[in-house]
Amino acid sequence: MKQTYTVSGMTCGGCVASVSEKLSGIEGVENVLVSLEKGQAQILMGHDIPLNVFKGALPERYTITKNGPNVLDAPENRNDASNGKKTKFQQLRPLFLIFTYLLGASLLLNYQEWNTQKAMLDFMGLFYIVFSFFKFLDLKGFPRSFRMYDPLAKALPFYGWIYPFLELVLGLMLLMRFQIPLALITTIVILGITTFGVTKTLLDKKSIQCACLGTALKLPMTEATFIENAIMVIMAFAMLIFP
């Protein structure tokens, strides 16, 4: 059964991640879709769960009340759902734009004396710099979103706090051509772990927010997130094997 609840007290993407995480951890809850704009949570559950169970799972700063069963199924929201892929593409548009700009910048930096490896290093370095910037916009909220799908961040919460700094350092190392093998190996390790978590999330068909661009831009966890990480890992492997 699916039920809609009003959740008050949410102010940012980190709040959305926290509410999603707490509600998803309740026994019997199969899927949770939280909307910051609507201040609502749509919960799919295997059996009826009392409201006080949801209240007990959330921190005191949030309040949750039960709505009618079809609040998120109103005509305007059914239109959003029926659009399917179109809506998903619109949500991912910032990600596609950033990739286009990064690719263009890498090509322009190297077009006069073309060198594929240098272009790849520039792309990866710029990738890290830009993506860390968006994470720094909400440094407090990012770790909560990140640990919802990254296995290492789940096991070691402090990892989510240092991850934006790690991306920044890796970006500078690649752009400055400093300790490139170390930067590439680190890329394979950290993005490999994240890709594993993303893959598990996609296979479990969970609807959560992607933290790749922090919480400033609200992106859904989709196949695009997997592809984004996989490209970086493949590029790192390629440059280690063919220096």
Side-chain angles (χ1 to χ4, degrees):
M1 61 179 296
K2 183 166 58 177
Q3 178 65 52
T4 302
Y5 297 82
T6 294
V7 181
S8 58
M10 297 188 297
T11 58
C12 65
C15 294
V16 172
S18 178
V19 170
S20 298
E21 182 180 22
K22 298 297 183 183
L23 295 179
S24 297
I26 298 173
E27 184 178 357
V29 172
E30 298 177 356
N31 193 28
V32 177
L33 181 61
V34 180
S35 171
L36 177 63
E37 293 78 7
K38 298 182 178 71
Q40 295 175 344
Q42 188 179 62
I43 303 175
L44 179 64
M45 58 195 92
H47 56 81
D48 186 43
I49 301 175
L51 180 61
N52 62 350
V53 174
F54 293 126
K55 289 182 178 179
L58 294 178
E60 293 184 359
R61 62 177 295 184
Y62 307 114
T63 58
I64 182 169
T65 56
K66 191 173 183 179
N67 294 346
N70 297 314
V71 172
L72 289 185
D73 292 331
E76 62 273 16
N77 295 315
R78 285 202 302 270
N79 289 337
D80 289 342
S82 65
N83 283 339
K85 295 181 180 179
K86 181 179 179 181
T87 300
K88 183 182 293 187
F89 176 80
Q90 291 173 339
Q91 290 174 321
L92 292 173
R93 186 169 176 266
L95 184 61
F96 295 140
L97 283 175
I98 289 173
F99 260 84
T100 301
Y101 271 83
L102 293 179
L103 180 60
S106 303
L107 294 174
L108 289 173
L109 287 171
N110 296 276
Y111 82 97
Q112 288 185 324
E113 296 182 6
W114 180 254
N115 184 298
T116 301
Q117 187 178 57
K118 288 183 179 179
M120 292 170 68
L121 288 172
D122 287 336
F123 176 87
M124 295 178 68
L126 292 171
F127 175 98
Y128 277 131
I129 296 293
V130 171
F131 276 58
S132 67
F133 165 77
F134 282 100
K135 293 177 177 67
F136 280 121
L137 292 179
D138 184 16
L139 189 57
K140 184 178 180 181
F142 168 75
R144 285 179 290 187
S145 297
F146 191 49
R147 69 170 176 255
M148 289 193 68
Y149 60 88
D150 185 271
L152 187 56
K154 285 182 181 179
L156 303 172
F158 74 90
Y159 176 65
W161 290 97
I162 67 172
Y163 188 83
F165 297 93
L166 181 58
E167 280 197 334
L168 178 61
V169 171
L170 287 173
L172 292 174
M173 289 174 66
L174 292 170
L175 291 175
M176 297 172 66
R177 310 297 194 257
F178 176 75
Q179 293 292 330
I180 292 177
L182 176 61
L184 295 176
I185 292 172
T186 305
T187 293
I188 293 170
V189 173
I190 65 172
L191 291 188
I193 293 173
T194 301
T195 302
F196 174 80
V198 169
T199 303
K200 187 176 185 303
T201 299
L202 293 174
L203 292 176
D204 292 342
K205 298 181 179 180
K206 292 182 178 179
S207 299
I208 64 174
Q209 180 178 338
C210 174
C212 57
L213 288 176
T215 58
L217 296 177
K218 300 173 182 60
L219 301 175
M221 179 68 69
T222 66
E223 294 80 0
T225 312
F226 171 83
I227 295 172
E228 155 205 324
N229 288 329
I231 288 175
M232 290 285 285
V233 171
I234 291 172
M235 291 175 69
F237 265 118
M239 282 185 283
L240 283 173
I241 297 173
F242 306 105

